[in-house]
Every structure is written in structure tokens, then in C-alpha cells.
Amino acid sequence: MVPGRVKGVKFGRHSRPTVLTPTPIESNINLRETLQHPMLSPQDPMLSPQDSMLSPQGHRITRLFPGIHYAWIIIVIASIMHMAGGSVRQAFGVLVVPLQQDMGWSPASISLGYALGSIVGAALAPLSGIATDRYGARKVILAGILFFFLGAIITGAADQVWHLWVSYGIFLGVAQACFSVPILTTANSWFRTRLGVGIGLLQAAHGLGPAVMAVLLSALIAALTWQTAFWLIGVVASAVMISLMLFFRNEPSHVGLRPYGDPRTEPVRKSVDLAAEKLRAKAYLMSMQGTNAFRQLVGVHFLGCVGHAIVIIYIIPIAVEAGVNVVSAAGILSTLMGVSVLTRFLTPVVADYLGAKRAMATMFVLQGLPVLMLFWTQELWQFYMFAVIFGIGYGGEGSAFPIINRQYFGRGPMGRSFGWQQAGAGTGMAFGGWIGGGLYVISGSYDVTVILSVLTSLAGAAMILTMPSTARLLIPNWEDSISPNLHPETTRPLGAGD
């Protein structure tokens, strides 16, 4: 069988030259022009009636936001989804000390709930990607909201440690898989240009959410109880996410639009049947899986997540062990999350223009080396200084993955690709989240855990540097194996390289 071809499909040749067109960095970006469609301004006299017409459903939704391309509305919705639904798991470190004190559970048994959630999320991420490509992101996210609600309610009712394993390990793990992959896939499909800005805003919200949630959850636990705090968060966050789904659309064609940055000469993509979409997604995945970069990205995600999961989960216990009170220790976690917002936004933008490979390797190093500071950090101000320095690298470590995927693999059904990479990330989060507690039980300190965090981050940087340049597509002709009528878009990259 010829690599990249799908069995049972009549192969039609449909070759396209791949042109790399570097995008210059603009010195003065007009915010209004950025938010509008650059090629489809409603005042453009060159637009034909067909160009300016939307479907009735699309018109009802998009007219609520005049002058703004709906891609930016999708980014806002996805950002709030990240903050409402994904932040509870990232703020898990706030729970460790209260559960130790109230329930008498060990750090290893408590962190096992987080680790199980990461394992479940990792195992289901490829399936989430398949479901996203086949059924659409919206349906998968709705399923995730249901599991999030159940997980939060069960966590609040837990009175034995295995209840926490079920609520965090299964329900919130499933929710994580149903959120992360579809949200990234949808954001990727809405942009032809300035993907870095869109992903940067999304990733910034992903960092801001845990920063806010760590303080909010700590305050709620102090004012109420940790049980009541989870019930309240489960109800309110689920209601917010369900409301947002009323405005969420999987791709631009569903509201009669082109992706942001598409020229008006490109036809609006028409929906094709599910069988054709399945064949197209399969051809894309087979082409990607034939590259070393596909497997390397999974490994890089694993190593980076081990490195920061250790810090996220154990920085509060480490600080409390040094004599810091619990509320102030929660502020340390909130600070590093807050600082990460800046580089979560900037790293995808820089990677979009200058190439993702060097940007990512730099951030992996900046995530790893500052962890060595924990060997001599004892005072509260020292912990906050560490949080600021570590937060810079932590924020940029994972935020450019959608950009490097676009630069390597072009434009296509990304659900399966993001699914496998999120599987690597989830496995890394699980391993890093659990191993710290295990090593603490064995050694009586967090020293070995700190060393492991440093080594895995640096190993991730080294792996990135062995990967191919992002200056050219790795699979420019992946669509050659499918029928020409299934080619709704080109695979031209964004043109940055390193």
C-alpha cells in the first residue's frame, strides 16, 4: 500500500505547489482591522452579493457582533470555556493541604486522584480527536460539560479517598479530554492568518483561569468548606458553559463565513457528508503519522508536562513545609499562573512570525532551570520571586503547539493530531502529578522531585532541537490520495520557519 493513500478510495491526482510566503511583522496593527475579516469587509465594493450573503442561521448569530469577524468571538468563547471548565484541575494543589488536615489522607493518595484524571484524559484524548473530526467539536464539548458537573458534585460529596479518585480521576478526566482537543481544533479551523494571535489569547486565558481559580478556591475553602466550594463551582461553571454553547460553532462554514484571512477568491467551504469527512481525516492522519515529527511532538508534550506538573501540584506543599501559611502558599501558585499569561500570549505570536521550533526550545529551558531555585527558597518573598521567574517559561512551554502543527502539517482535520499530543501531555501531567508524592514518601523530601522536574524540561528542549525545520511543510501533498471534490481548502502554511 502506498503511504498516505486510503484503501477503497479512487485516487485522483490533485497536486498543488506549496509556496512559502513569509509574513512581515507589522509595526502598527489596527485593532479594528484585526478583528474584522481582512478580506471580507462589508463595505468592500468588490464583494459580490454571493460573497456578502450569509445563511439565515449564520446571519442571526453574526449580526450580534457587527464589524467583528466571528473567529474572534469563537476565541472569546473558547477562552471562557478554558477558564470555567479547565481551571479546577490545574488548581488541584490548593486541595492537598485541606484534605491532609481534614481527612487525614496522605499527599500520595490525594495526588493519585489528579494523576488518574490526567491518565484518563490522556487515554481518551485520541478518541476525543476522532469524535471531534467525525461529529464536531460542539457535541464533544457538551458531553464534557456533563462530566464536569458530575465530577465537581461528586468531589464535594467525597468522604473516602477513592471517591476523589472517581470524581477527579474519571469524571473530570473525561471532561478534560472533551474540552482540550475540540477547543484547539476549532480555534485552528477558524484562522488562516494570525493564528498565533488567536491561539495566544486562548492560551493566555488558559493560564489566567487557574490563577483566578487558585485564589477563588482557596478563599471559598477558608470561608465555607472544600465540599461546598466544589458544589458551588460545579453549578455555576456548568451553567456558564452551557450558555456559551448557544453561540459556539465548529467552523466558519456553519455561519456562512470563510476562515479569518481567507481571500474572497476562496469559495466558502460547503459541508460534505460524514463518510467523506472520515476519509479526509484518515488521509491526513496517515500522512502525519508517517513523519517523525508527529511522534516527537507527543514526546515533547510529555516531557514538558512532567516538568511543570511537579511544580503546579507540589509548590504549595513545599511552601507549607517551609513554614508558609496555606493562603499565602495558594498565592504563590496563583502568581506563577498569572505571570504565565503574558508568555502564553506572546509565545504563539512570536512562533507564528519567527518559527515555533526555537521559541518552544527557549521556553522549555526557561521552565526547567528556575526550578533549581527551590533548593534554597525558604522565605515567602523568595517563593514569590520563584513564581515570577518560573511562570515566564511555564507559560510559553506548551502554548505554541498549535502553531508548530500548522507549520509542519498545514491546514487539515487536526482533531486526531491534537488528540495524540494531548495524550502525551496528559500522561506527563499524570506522571509528574503522582511521582512527586511517591518520591516524597520514599525520600522524606521533595529534593529528588525538583531534580526530576529540571531534567524533564531540559530533555524536552533537547528533543525539540532535533526536529526538522518549520520552514517547509512535511506533508504538502497529503490530499493527493483522496478525490479532488474533497479538497475544500489548501494546505499552505503560514510561512515562518526556523
Side-chain angles (χ1 to χ4, degrees):
M1 182 174 178
V2 181
R5 296 183 178 270
V6 181
K7 186 176 181 180
V9 180
K10 294 182 179 179
F11 304 136
R13 299 299 299 174
H14 193 76
S15 300
R16 293 185 181 84
T18 300
V19 181
L20 299 179
T21 320
T23 304
I25 300 178
E26 298 180 11
S27 58
N28 53 347
I29 298 176
N30 184 291
L31 179 61
R32 181 174 177 81
E33 291 178 357
T34 298
L35 295 179
Q36 289 178 339
H37 196 300
M39 300 293 182
L40 292 175
S41 173
Q43 289 79 28
D44 192 342
M46 298 296 292
L47 286 179
S48 65
Q50 182 180 8
D51 284 329
S52 59
M53 289 292 290
L54 297 174
S55 65
Q57 182 188 26
H59 179 66
R60 286 197 301 269
I61 295 173
T62 57
R63 72 182 178 183
L64 297 174
F65 310 96
I68 301 176
H69 192 281
Y70 207 72
W72 301 108
I73 306 302
I74 293 296
I75 290 297
V76 171
I77 293 172
S79 298
I80 298 174
M81 290 288 300
H82 261 319
M83 295 176 69
S87 300
V88 172
R89 291 190 68 255
Q90 296 294 338
F92 182 82
V94 176
L95 268 180
V96 175
V97 174
L99 291 178
Q100 277 184 274
Q101 295 175 346
D102 294 351
M103 309 302 293
W105 302 335
S106 70
S109 63
I110 295 170
S111 62
L112 183 58
Y114 180 88
L116 288 174
S118 298
I119 291 171
V120 170
L124 294 181
L127 297 178
S128 177
I130 293 171
T132 299
D133 287 340
R134 185 173 300 181
Y135 303 112
R138 198 173 182 217
K139 293 180 179 178
V140 179
I141 292 173
L142 285 171
I145 295 173
L146 174 62
F147 278 95
F148 172 85
F149 174 77
L150 294 174
I153 297 301
I154 295 174
T155 298
D159 58 8
Q160 295 188 41
V161 71
W162 69 266
H163 296 165
L164 185 70
W165 301 343
V166 172
S167 63
Y168 248 86
I170 297 178
F171 285 92
L172 292 184
V174 173
Q176 179 67 19
C178 292
F179 290 152
S180 59
V181 177
I183 286 175
L184 282 177
T185 303
T186 300
N188 188 78
S189 69
W190 271 89
F191 287 86
R192 171 112 176 221
T193 60
R194 290 191 177 164
L195 177 64
V197 177
I199 293 297
L201 292 171
L202 181 60
Q203 295 286 8
H206 192 49
L208 181 61
V212 174
M213 184 61 69
V215 174
L216 176 62
L217 188 56
S218 179
L220 288 174
I221 291 173
L224 305 171
T225 63
W226 61 267
Q227 293 94 335
T228 305
F230 266 89
W231 289 336
L232 187 61
I233 289 172
V235 172
V236 174
S238 297
V240 169
M241 290 188 286
I242 290 174
S243 300
L244 291 173
M245 285 296 99
L246 298 174
F247 301 94
F248 188 88
R249 293 298 179 270
N250 297 335
E251 55 184 72
S253 63
H254 291 179
V255 287
L257 293 175
R258 300 176 179 88
Y260 181 89
D262 254 8
R264 62 175 179 268
T265 54
E266 290 275 345
V268 176
R269 180 183 173 184
K270 297 180 179 179
S271 297
V272 295
D273 60 77
L274 289 177
E277 287 284 11
K278 182 179 178 181
L279 290 174
R280 188 168 180 272
K282 183 178 180 182
Y284 190 64
L285 178 64
M286 290 174 63
S287 296
M288 286 190 296
Q289 286 181 331
T291 67
N292 287 330
F294 178 86
R295 293 179 288 275
Q296 287 175 305
L297 285 172
V298 177
V300 167
H301 230 336
F302 170 82
L303 291 170
C305 286
V306 171
H308 65 242
I310 287 173
V311 175
I312 291 171
I313 300 303
Y314 295 105
I315 186 60
I316 293 178
I318 289 173
V320 170
E321 195 172 72
V324 178
N325 67 70
V326 176
V327 175
S328 298
I332 298 169
L333 178 61
S334 181
T335 298
L336 74 85
M337 291 289 187
V339 171
S340 76
V341 171
L342 178 63
T343 46
R344 282 177 184 271
F345 172 72
L346 290 178
T347 304
V349 176
V350 171
D352 198 5
Y353 284 117
L354 304 179
K357 183 179 170 182
R358 283 176 293 188
M360 290 174 63
T362 300
M363 289 302 170
F364 267 69
V365 172
L366 292 178
Q367 173 181 273
L369 293 180
V371 181
L372 293 171
M373 294 174 61
L374 292 176
F375 281 116
W376 61 81
T377 299
Q378 295 294 324
E379 302 295 331
L380 179 61
W381 69 268
Q382 294 174 328
F383 277 105
Y384 274 93
M385 183 174 67
F386 161 77
V388 171
I389 298 173
F390 175 81
I392 294 172
Y394 163 63
E397 174 269 330
S399 58
F401 274 90
I403 308 302
I404 200 170
N405 273 273
R406 174 71 68 86
Q407 291 172 357
Y408 276 152
F409 307 125
R411 299 170 66 212
M414 280 287 186
R416 288 165 168 81
S417 175
F418 290 144
W420 282 106
Q421 288 170 39
Q422 288 297 317
T427 305
M429 295 297 289
F431 181 76
W434 175 80
I435 194 64
L439 292 175
Y440 180 82
V441 171
I442 295 172
S443 65
S445 75
Y446 289 105
D447 291 350
V448 179
T449 304
V450 167
I451 294 173
L452 179 63
S453 174
V454 175
L455 292 179
T456 51
S457 293
L458 296 181
M463 182 176 289
I464 292 170
L465 293 176
T466 67
M467 296 177 67
S469 169
T470 57
R472 64 180 182 85
L473 279 175
L474 299 183
I475 52 170
N477 301 315
W478 70 269
E479 290 180 296
D480 289 354
S481 64
I482 57 179
S483 176
N485 64 342
L486 298 182
H487 296 271
E489 56 189 12
T490 68
T491 58
R492 188 172 299 166
L494 295 180
D498 48 11

